[in-house]
Amino acid sequence: MSTAPEASPLSRPVPPDGGWTADDLDRLSDLPPHTQLLDAGLVFPCPQSAFHERATSFFGRQLSGVATPGLDVLCRFSTDIDRQNRLEPDVMVLREAALTSPDQNRVPASAVVLAVEVVSPDSLSRDRETKPLKYARAGITHYWRVENEKGLAVVHAFELEPATGAYVGVGIFRERMKVSAPFPMDLDLTAIKARRNGE
């Protein structure tokens, strides 16, 4: 009687004393793409839903189309918050002067104007609680959280309040998002939906 071979345990990198640093993400081999660093710990990516992918693509395209000169838009690009936090917003608007090389794989948080996170079941508490706190402390002026509400996108928009250094809500948007900052835009949120019958 033959027996099935035992599954080998998953090999995970062992953190050094004090945890990982932002620079370690470039040195560690065999990390999955889009691994993030949160409070000196590695956060591995999970498979994403169709809604997540459509929303990320939508905001990437729309923001690219209306961004003012001097700004650029990137999806799933890494930003250094501090030594122990290197996060990757689903979409970011940044000062294009921060991109100095085609081989560059991260920018400082000081270059980021807007961070957009599309919430997934595995990222709910990070996107609602942890990441906004990190982004605000890093001085990122605008933060948008995109949630799936029965198949429709709802955007919770926040702006940094200079006196407190914390985010304040500037609106909850369904169907249409019309804002003047970080630059004027009028977005049809109903476009973030599944295609049916080739439509």
Side-chain angles (χ1 to χ4, degrees), residues 45-132:
C46 291
Q48 296 300 335
S49 67
F51 173 86
H52 186 282
E53 293 304 303
R54 287 190 178 102
T56 298
S57 297
F58 172 85
F59 283 101
R61 286 190 315 271
Q62 297 298 316
L63 291 170
S64 292
V66 296
T68 53
L71 296 177
D72 202 347
V73 178
L74 294 173
C75 295
R76 300 180 193 93
F77 197 74
S78 190
T79 182
D80 286 332
I81 302 298
D82 56 37
R83 189 172 182 271
Q84 295 185 316
N85 292 278
R86 184 170 159 187
L87 303 178
E88 189 175 284
D90 289 307
V91 183
M92 72 164 71
V93 176
L94 68 157
R95 294 177 185 87
E96 63 183 8
L99 296 172
T100 58
S101 164
D103 298 321
Q104 188 172 339
N105 65 357
R106 57 180 161 158
V107 293
S110 59
V112 181
V113 175
L114 165 66
V116 181
E117 294 288 0
V118 181
V119 176
S120 298
D122 71 289
S123 71
L124 186 63
S125 63
R126 287 195 304 272
D127 293 341
R128 286 183 177 176
E129 300 167 17
T130 312
K131 284 189 170 186

Side-chain angles (χ1 to χ4, degrees), residues 149-193:
E149 192 173 89
K150 298 179 180 178
L152 301 175
V154 177
V155 181
H156 300 258
F158 302 87
E159 187 169 335
L160 197 62
E161 208 287 314
T164 63
Y167 285 127
V168 294
V170 295
I172 300 174
F173 301 91
R174 293 174 174 85
E175 296 187 359
R176 183 181 182 191
M177 182 176 187
K178 189 172 184 178
V179 293
S180 58
F183 37 77
M185 64 192 92
D186 189 349
L187 305 177
D188 176 11
L189 300 179
T190 65
I192 306 170
K193 60 185 176 183

